Amino acid sequence: MEVTNKYIQYEDVRVPGGVHTVESLNYAWKEFETRDDDVFNITYPKSGTTWLQEILSLIYSNGDPTPVKTTFSWDRVPWIEQHGGRQHLENKPSPRLITTHLPFHLFPQSFFKTTAKAIYTIRNPKDVCVSLYYFSKYAQFMECREDFQDFVSLFLSKDIIFGRWFEHVKGWLTMKNNPNFLILSYEDMLKDLKGNVIKICKFLGKELNDAAIDSVVENASFQVMKDNPMSNYSAVPKEFFDKEKGKFHRKGIAGDHKNHFTPAQEEEFERIYKDCMKDINISFA
Ligand code: PPS
């Protein structure tokens, strides 16, 4: 796979090239055959993707940490749209756990003819913006902006990866009344991880005993994941992640935007948020 910070345009979104190809995106959208017991972990980037990869892996091992300690997260819960998605998923035994950042309108079309389940995790967009800013400094396949102010402008433009947060969230929220669709909040998971693990188990029809639930919660904690080489991306070669410029498990908190946005930026962001999300009833702590 080529490492490049040049993006490719696919339909109406831009995505990092190399990691994605037109072929891999076509596969995800048009060719992938969803199975009834597939489970999708869907996010806008930096909204809790890796966290859900860990939680889902642990739920499907009934709390046994062996898989998360021995297999890379991207092999356990692979991205469908990335280069290699087809090879990863075609021969994977069921139930398959699958990750995606795709917007709703580019999601596998076959999903809608099945009883497969999908979980969409939402995070405060201002914290997403901060997290993506730091990510873009060390992920070599990302367009970066040295200045945070410039990055906020990029984040609010259609040039940002996977399209703007607003359209991504609004697209996925059209699924909110579908019984096979669960919406989670990153901030709520920080407040009550156990309650959210129980909610996910119920949604997936997985019955875990108390010890197994406790193991999911413990092994999906920020610190344990940060120290787990199978989930912390420390094994990714330098040409993809320059670890001297940043770490994947950075802070894992809510509200870091307060340390980054100026009052003027905050005001501008809120104005755009209110305008774009006026018909949508979600709020952030
Ligand atoms: S990616 O690149 O889109 O897959 O990134 P993603 O995993 O969605 O988001 C990365 C941010 O999630 C934080 N993170 C966690 N927070 C709380 N608890 C746990 N266990 C956890 N694991 C990852 C990670 O630190 C990134 O957020 P920031 O704000 O940058 O720290």
Side-chain angles (χ1 to χ4, degrees), residues 80-119:
I80 189 172
E81 66 270 24
Q82 287 188 0
H83 172 88
R86 184 194 294 273
Q87 291 88 315
H88 260 115
L89 289 164
E90 291 295 280
N91 298 316
K92 209 171 175 55
S94 294
R96 294 180 298 188
L97 306 175
I98 305 164
T99 299
T100 186
H101 290 318
L102 288 171
F104 177 65
H105 62 288
L106 300 177
F107 190 63
Q109 292 169 341
S110 60
F111 172 87
F112 301 96
K113 298 185 208 109
T114 69
T115 57
K117 297 196 171 176
I119 300 175

Side-chain angles (χ1 to χ4, degrees), residues 43-51 53 79 101 123 127 130-132 134-135 186 190 220-223 225 233 247-253 256:
T43 53
Y44 190 79
K46 299 292 148 199
S47 300
T49 325
T50 319
W51 203 1
Q53 286 176 321
W79 270 267
H101 290 318
R123 186 180 188 185
D127 286 339
V130 171
S131 182
L132 198 54
Y134 286 103
F135 184 69
Y186 177 94
L190 282 178
S221 72
F222 182 80
Q223 197 54 51
M225 283 183 65
Y233 289 94
K247 285 208 164 39
F248 189 88
H249 284 85
R250 198 182 56 88
K251 286 193 180 174
I253 60 168
D256 198 28

Side-chain angles (χ1 to χ4, degrees), residues 68-271:
V68 302
K69 299 286 183 205
T70 54
T71 309
F72 288 118
S73 53
W74 57 84
D75 286 333
R76 285 184 265 116
V77 198
W79 270 267
I80 189 172
E81 66 270 24
Q82 287 188 0
H83 172 88
R86 184 194 294 273
Q87 291 88 315
H88 260 115
L89 289 164
E90 291 295 280
N91 298 316
K92 209 171 175 55
S94 294
R96 294 180 298 188
L97 306 175
I98 305 164
T99 299
T100 186
H101 290 318
L102 288 171
F104 177 65
H105 62 288
L106 300 177
F107 190 63
Q109 292 169 341
S110 60
F111 172 87
F112 301 96
K113 298 185 208 109
T114 69
T115 57
K117 297 196 171 176
I119 300 175
Y120 187 64
T121 309
I122 305 179
R123 186 180 188 185
N124 184 327
K126 286 183 279 187
D127 286 339
V128 169
C129 179
V130 171
S131 182
L132 198 54
Y133 169 67
Y134 286 103
F135 184 69
S136 72
K137 285 176 178 280
Y138 68 88
Q140 310 284 34
F141 50 84
M142 290 283 296
E143 273 179 10
C144 101
R145 299 283 186 278
E146 275 313 310
D147 180 50
F148 181 68
Q149 186 109 9
D150 292 342
F151 190 82
V152 176
S153 301
L154 175 65
F155 185 79
L156 290 170
S157 80
K158 290 198 164 62
D159 290 337
I160 195 67
I161 53 167
F162 292 98
R164 294 199 311 170
W165 181 94
F166 309 102
E167 281 74 35
H168 203 280
V169 170
K170 281 199 287 188
W172 277 108
L173 285 182
T174 60
M175 286 277 284
K176 68 177 191 294
N177 296 323
N178 183 320
N180 291 327
F181 188 70
L182 176 70
I183 299 171
L184 297 177
S185 144
Y186 177 94
E187 290 74 22
D188 197 49
M189 286 167 61
L190 282 178
K191 278 193 209 129
D192 178 15
L193 184 53
K194 186 168 178 173
N196 276 280
V197 169
I198 292 169
K199 192 197 278 185
I200 298 167
C201 287
K202 202 168 160 213
F203 170 69
L204 296 172
K206 296 288 293 175
E207 286 183 19
L208 268 59
N209 63 29
D210 287 350
I213 299 270
D214 288 345
S215 172
V216 177
V217 171
E218 183 189 327
N219 287 291
S221 72
F222 182 80
Q223 197 54 51
V224 171
M225 283 183 65
K226 187 177 182 175
D227 295 338
N228 180 1
M230 295 294 133
S231 321
N232 66 12
Y233 289 94
S234 55
V236 174
K238 192 176 174 185
E239 63 261 35
F240 285 96
F241 284 171
D242 184 345
K243 278 148 257 167
E244 280 162 27
K245 293 188 180 156
K247 285 208 164 39
F248 189 88
H249 284 85
R250 198 182 56 88
K251 286 193 180 174
I253 60 168
D256 198 28
H257 65 89
K258 293 181 193 134
N259 302 316
H260 292 80
F261 281 69
T262 62
Q265 273 180 321
E266 186 96 22
E267 204 175 299
E268 172 69 355
F269 199 103
E270 285 304 322
R271 190 189 60 71

